[in-house]
Amino acid sequence: MKAEAKTCHEQSHRPSFKWTRMWVVLVLAGLLGGLSLSGSPSADELLAPPRVHTPPGAADSEDEPLGPFPGVVAPEGTYDGKNVEQPIEFPHDLHADTNKINCLYCHTYARRSAVAGIPPTSKCMGCHSVIATDRPRIKKLTEYWEKGESPPWKKVHDLPDFVRFTHERHLKKFLFDNPDMDVERVDEVCALCHGDVKKMTVAKKQKPLTMGFCTRCHEANDGPFDCQKCHK
């Protein structure tokens, strides 16, 4: 009797269980179809494992290199540059990292000209006439300002005279024309050629900036290969 009762019990619940499974399938299909039509990620994309952010050239890389930020493949190459003594030990880390000052606030020309430019002393004094005025570096800066002179900054990233490089075009491609980037992340674009300056005090050359370094970047990021584009 127990066996017959169990069989009847199972048979009585089979239809409702079958309908339940069908409703679940229909609801899932509807949700995934709706996501696809609305432009949201497809079912395959939703079910796929997350992509790994792998630095280009990594030995254990099995995924497509995504570069340091969307829309770029960073050129390989490092350089151990020497320390360049500056008239004032300018702390990039304090300004760009701690206080989150955008690179383009001081290097204003980079967005519209070949050179990034050094800010005039008047821009520095705009802040430091009231901020940290008792610090030795600021006192030294103030002395230059009161004498009507600019600190004699020395170049860290220099290129041969026969090379034509423009900051404007590179920022346009990697930042302003890049739909996945915004201007707050400009330091990541600068780091392609200058290294992670926001972690430095005085800037130091960390990228080779050789022809091979540039051509690897142009090749990976569909840059031009016309000789006249880069050579005078």
Side-chain angles (χ1 to χ4, degrees):
M1 290 294 291
K2 289 183 178 178
E4 290 178 0
K6 181 178 180 181
T7 303
C8 291
H9 177 77
E10 290 177 350
Q11 287 177 347
S12 65
H13 286 74
R14 278 174 186 168
S16 61
F17 179 67
K18 181 178 180 181
W19 279 107
T20 300
R21 286 200 306 175
M22 290 181 63
W23 275 110
V24 169
V25 172
L26 288 171
V27 169
L28 284 174
L31 285 172
L32 295 176
L35 288 172
S36 178
L37 290 173
S38 66
S40 301
S42 66
D44 289 339
E45 290 171 328
L46 288 172
L47 297 175
R51 298 183 71 189
V52 178
H53 185 108
T54 306
D60 57 350
S61 173
E62 295 180 354
D63 200 0
E64 177 187 352
L66 298 181
F69 56 83
V72 66
V73 177
E76 296 178 33
T78 58
Y79 185 86
D80 185 18
K82 63 181 181 181
N83 294 318
V84 178
E85 186 176 353
Q86 300 288 358
I88 299 174
E89 188 186 34
F90 180 84
H92 284 87
D93 53 348
L94 182 60
H95 290 77
D97 193 25
T98 304
N99 292 312
K100 310 296 181 189
I101 298 175
N102 193 291
C103 304
L104 294 177
Y105 178 76
C106 294
H107 300 287
T108 310
Y109 307 134
R111 64 193 304 167
R112 59 176 186 269
S113 69
V115 299
I118 299 293
T121 310
S122 58
K123 176 167 275 188
C124 306
M125 293 305 296
C127 293
H128 288 296
S129 59
V130 293
I131 297 175
T133 55
D134 59 335
R135 305 289 174 81
R137 286 182 292 212
I138 305 307
K139 287 182 177 179
K140 198 169 183 180
L141 175 71
T142 305
E143 290 175 8
Y144 281 110
W145 170 247
E146 290 176 345
K147 289 189 292 185
E149 299 176 1
S150 296
W153 303 110
K154 298 174 184 174
K155 274 190 174 182
V156 176
H157 301 93
D158 201 9
L159 294 174
D161 292 340
F162 54 83
V163 174
R164 179 187 290 115
F165 176 88
T166 167
H167 284 79
E168 180 187 12
R169 288 185 184 175
H170 289 79
L171 283 178
K172 186 174 186 299
K173 176 178 178 62
F174 292 130
L175 183 67
F176 297 118
D177 287 352
N178 187 343
D180 297 319
M181 288 287 284
D182 53 53
V183 73
E184 283 76 18
R185 298 177 63 181
V186 65
D187 60 291
E188 298 174 50
V189 180
C190 301
L192 289 175
C193 298
H194 298 300
D196 198 3
V197 177
K198 72 178 183 180
K199 298 294 184 185
M200 307 178 194
T201 51
V202 175
K204 183 178 179 180
K205 186 177 178 181
Q206 291 190 339
K207 301 292 182 179
L209 303 184
T210 58
M211 182 172 174
F213 179 80
C214 296
T215 54
R216 284 196 295 275
C217 188
H218 278 228
E219 186 175 24
N221 297 287
D222 298 324
F225 271 88
D226 181 355
C227 300
Q228 298 300 319
K229 290 286 185 183
C230 304
H231 293 289
K232 300 175 182 176

